[in-house]
Amino acid sequence: MKFIRFNDKGNIRSALINEENLVFPIDFDQYVDFFYFLKDQGITASDYIKQNNLASISINLEELSYVLPIVPEEIWASGVTYLKSKEARNFEVKNANKQIESTFYDKVYDAERPEIFLKSTARRIVGPLAELYIRNDSNWQIPEPELTLIIGKDEDIIGFTLGNDMSCRDIEGENPLYLPQAKIWKNSCSIGPSILMPEGIEDPYELDITCRIFRNNELQFEGSAFINQLKRRLDELVKYLVYENDIVPGTALMTGTCIVPPNEFTLEKGDRIEISSTKIGVLVNNITRN
Ligand code: DO4
Ligand code: MG
């Protein structure tokens, strides 16, 4: 079962999409409220549809105007959680600092403590179909497609969505202290298009993720991975995020990138990025400059 929000002739509405792709509008605007309503009642979202005799609406899923399924106050991110990311980060740092042999990325990949950083805030994120920005002071920018967790009141995982941790590889490789500038700027993060509810999945490590980048409607890059390639456990990342922290229910945690475009690739204005997962849907964003 997926929770979505969409624009219906100027009104933002929420809905559930079941496994048969039927769309059931619901009266809960906020995912967190809906999740805890179900929990208090001891029912699933499927029970909720049945108990309330909800009728599905006839709507073409391709034509739905998805908006952010949730607006987290904060979006945090994990880094170097896949081998692919460690290799890409090492390439950046060795490219900028030729004499370096072993890097802090090698260390963090194997360390007990994962890398967790603040990626974005509500005002910097955009939803499906909205424009992401590239920076004007970077010549090497890529999307980072990441499974993104929604954290609940008990510091547990209450939903799964997709996220794009847009990154500047040149700024990041030049100096680790530049990480916030390599990661955070206006419209540098997107999430969506839906929240997959935990009742919809037996094993989140079986989820797939694909990234496609189009330029002038031509495919420039395509890469796929499975979450089971993650070096760490999802609950391990959550544990380090919430430790000694003050996390509002509905906070998002990106889990690291497992797909990296070729080293010679950089995003350009007009590119279209599609990040998809079979059970979550497709997060589409176009690239522009500020
Ligand atoms: O260490 C820098 C960030 C790495 C990252 O964002 C990722 O692995 O996804
Ligand atoms: Mg990342």
Side-chain angles (χ1 to χ4, degrees), residues 99-115:
Q99 71 288 5
I100 285 187
E101 291 279 310
S102 140
T103 72
F104 35 85
Y105 294 117
D106 294 317
K107 285 188 193 153
V108 81
Y109 186 71
D110 290 319
E112 190 178 334
R113 180 191 294 277
E115 179 196 4

Side-chain angles (χ1 to χ4, degrees), residues 23-257:
V23 181
F24 299 89
I26 56 171
D27 286 335
F28 287 83
D29 183 50
Q30 300 298 322
Y31 176 71
V32 173
D33 294 344
F34 180 59
F35 181 87
Y36 285 103
F37 173 83
L38 297 182
K39 195 166 180 197
D40 287 349
Q41 301 282 314
I43 59 172
T44 63
S46 314
D47 297 334
Y48 178 82
I49 291 174
K50 277 190 217 120
Q51 286 180 9
N52 291 281
N53 287 323
L54 295 188
S56 61
I57 50 169
S58 130
I59 194 159
N60 184 346
L61 285 188
E62 312 279 295
E63 284 165 15
L64 262 180
S65 297
Y66 293 93
V67 299
L68 278 169
I70 188 168
V71 186
E73 231 173 82
E74 293 171 349
I75 292 107
W76 293 73
S78 324
V80 202
T81 49
Y82 291 87
L83 185 60
K84 195 90 185 163
S85 176
K86 182 179 85 157
E87 289 168 353
R89 305 292 79 80
N90 277 339
F91 184 85
E92 288 150 18
V93 82
K94 288 178 183 167
N95 199 42
N97 309 272
K98 304 279 182 238
Q99 71 288 5
I100 285 187
E101 291 279 310
S102 140
T103 72
F104 35 85
Y105 294 117
D106 294 317
K107 285 188 193 153
V108 81
Y109 186 71
D110 290 319
E112 190 178 334
R113 180 191 294 277
E115 179 196 4
I116 306 276
F117 57 95
L118 184 67
K119 165 63 190 178
S120 197
T121 51
R123 62 183 283 141
R124 293 180 180 82
I125 54 165
V126 301
L129 308 170
E131 285 182 325
L132 283 166
Y133 289 5
I134 43 176
R135 289 180 72 112
N136 286 311
D137 60 353
S138 166
N139 295 313
W140 196 15
Q141 303 188 65
I142 53 162
E144 288 193 353
E146 306 194 7
L147 178 70
T148 300
L149 313 175
I150 306 299
I151 312 300
K153 291 181 185 168
D154 301 319
E155 303 181 335
D156 51 348
I157 301 168
I158 63 167
F160 301 84
T161 188
L162 296 170
N164 184 345
D165 169 23
M166 292 277 288
S167 298
C168 302
R169 298 187 69 183
D170 45 1
I171 298 178
E172 187 177 344
E174 194 177 335
N175 190 318
L177 300 179
Y178 293 157
L179 188 74
Q181 294 171 75
K183 294 288 189 179
I184 308 171
W185 64 93
K186 185 176 173 183
N187 289 28
S188 62
C189 180
S190 62
I191 60 169
S194 72
I195 299 175
L196 178 64
M197 301 188 68
E199 70 185 61
I201 42 170
E202 272 165 27
D203 180 1
Y205 298 92
E206 283 179 2
L207 292 172
D208 57 291
I209 186 159
T210 293
C211 178
R212 294 189 180 88
I213 305 173
F214 295 86
R215 187 163 295 162
N216 301 320
N217 283 327
E218 276 183 25
L219 187 66
Q220 295 287 305
F221 166 75
E222 175 167 0
S224 294
F226 282 95
I227 305 308
N228 63 13
Q229 292 160 4
L230 187 67
K231 168 91 185 318
R232 299 180 185 264
R233 304 290 300 171
L234 296 173
D235 53 5
E236 178 190 350
L237 298 175
V238 176
K239 184 182 98 182
Y240 276 93
L241 167 67
V242 302
Y243 184 68
E244 300 283 357
N245 209 344
D246 184 6
I247 291 296
V248 180
T251 294
L253 174 60
M254 301 179 131
T255 55
T257 192

